[in-house]
Amino acid sequence: MHILLALLLILITFSSITITSLAIIQILSNDFKDSKGKWVLISMIAFIGPILWLTKGRKLITKKSIEDNTESKKNYSIKSHYFNLIKDSNPFFKLLFFISIFLICFGYIVRLLNIYFFWESTAVGFGLLLITIAQFFINDINARTEKGLNKVLSYILVGLICFTILIKGLMAIILPNTRAYRTAKTILKNDSALTNEVGKIHSFSVLPQGSMATHSDRYGSTGKANLTLIIKGEKKYIEKNVILKKELEEEWSIISIN
């Protein structure tokens, strides 16, 4: 019974996220009879938002006539289409794109030159880059809608990027608050070989990558976690992949550090 309820909750949650993502894409890529911002926020309300979108919101979409779409298709050139998209992009997102590239490069450079400052910049940069790419393809959907062009691929790309952003965002929030992460910090702080290498450890940063899975039943809980940590010591920083495991009636323990 518990398994069925869990599967039902997962199905409802996945359906809600999918409908919300499609709703946001359709709101941003079509003419709309109401405030786009308001309906984006409404569609993001857990469980209720998707229902409101399906019953009321999608009826507010307006589409161009067949004649307008036919004329646009005749004048279509993929090269000029994407050139104009880049040229007409919002200056804020152009700036955000260059900032994201700078942060990614900065993260690799400080590692290469052993500069111990803001190693998290690479992860932040990739997150911002995903946002700018998503915005670019939303603009692509808008342009294709105006010209009556096929936009299925753009929808798929936006959906995949938004899903990736969602997963990375959840990982960035959830992983630092897990028992596995707290246990890893405690064990690593007391690892003499590690402290000899990096000096006294001041802090840790967990990157939004890896995986974590737990299972609970009447006998107890088990789990496995794969964490990527930036370990900040007095002498230097290092990045390590830490694998932890939890057996029944035992606490989390580290089984591998790479």
Side-chain angles (χ1 to χ4, degrees), residues 26 31-34 39 52-62:
Q26 291 185 31
D31 292 332
F32 208 65
K33 295 178 183 178
D34 203 344
W39 273 97
L52 291 173
W53 167 254
L54 291 174
T55 55
K56 295 182 178 180
R58 62 179 181 173
K59 297 177 182 178
L60 300 173
I61 292 175
T62 59

Side-chain angles (χ1 to χ4, degrees), residues 243-256:
I243 299 176
L244 301 96
K245 191 174 184 180
K246 185 185 184 307
E247 299 289 357
L248 285 173
E249 300 181 355
E250 294 181 8
E251 291 298 322
W252 286 93
S253 61
I254 294 177
I255 61 174
S256 174

Side-chain angles (χ1 to χ4, degrees), residues 170-188 204-214 223-231 238-245 252-258:
L170 289 174
M171 291 178 72
I173 295 170
I174 293 171
L175 290 180
N177 296 293
T178 60
R179 186 64 177 269
Y181 174 60
R182 292 194 294 270
T183 300
K185 290 199 299 180
T186 301
I187 295 173
L188 292 173
F204 297 83
S205 291
V206 58
L207 300 179
Q209 58 193 61
S211 62
M212 183 169 181
T214 59
K224 190 171 184 179
N226 187 336
L227 307 178
T228 300
L229 306 178
I230 297 173
I231 304 168
I238 57 172
E239 186 175 313
K240 291 287 187 180
N241 179 248
V242 182
I243 299 176
L244 301 96
K245 191 174 184 180
W252 286 93
S253 61
I254 294 177
I255 61 174
S256 174
I257 303 175
N258 301 309

